[in-house]
Amino acid sequence: QAQLVESGGGLVQAGGSLRLSCAVSGSLFSPKAMAWYRQCPGKARELVATITSGGGANYADSVEGRFTISRDNAKSTVYLQMNSLKPEDTGVYYCNLGRRYSPPYIPSEYWGQGTQVTVSS
């Protein structure tokens, strides 16, 4: 049904920025919340940021003030602008389609393939 494709990952020095994109197909984007997760080396997959259908955002404490999640419903795309990147931000970032319209965020079975983000010192 739905397909999610992430892009924008790469290698960046500490303090730099990256912008991740997640394009969604299957007509399942606009009525649901969306989220970015990440899996860092040696750690469990964690929720990074969520955004409601109306654009309300929530962030993990570790990225608050540095990352910004946004969405463009006309393009069926969600973004994650990552600024002031730290080495501990290194990991694989995944986009997920939510099952609800508002918090708490409940992930669905629809995930992207992931995009690697590497932050060097």
Side-chain angles (χ1 to χ4, degrees), residues 10-35:
L11 175 65
V12 65
Q13 289 185 314
S17 298
L18 287 172
R19 179 185 170 100
L20 307 183
S21 298
C22 175
V24 183
S25 64
S27 300
L28 299 175
F29 178 81
S30 58
K32 303 293 185 180
M34 298 286 294

Side-chain angles (χ1 to χ4, degrees), residues 7 18-23 29 34-36 49-51 59 67-82 95:
S7 62
L18 287 172
R19 179 185 170 100
L20 307 183
S21 298
C22 175
F29 178 81
M34 298 286 294
W36 286 96
T50 65
I51 185 166
Y59 301 92
F67 291 11
T68 302
I69 188 171
S70 62
R71 64 193 294 160
D72 186 336
N73 289 344
K75 297 181 179 180
S76 297
T77 301
V78 63
Y79 305 94
L80 186 68
Q81 178 67 45
M82 305 185 295
C95 183

Side-chain angles (χ1 to χ4, degrees), residues 33 35 37 47 50 96-100 102-109:
Y37 287 74
L47 182 62
T50 65
N96 178 258
L97 178 67
R99 297 170 63 183
R100 298 170 55 90
S102 60
Y105 189 84
I106 305 297
S108 74
E109 68 272 30

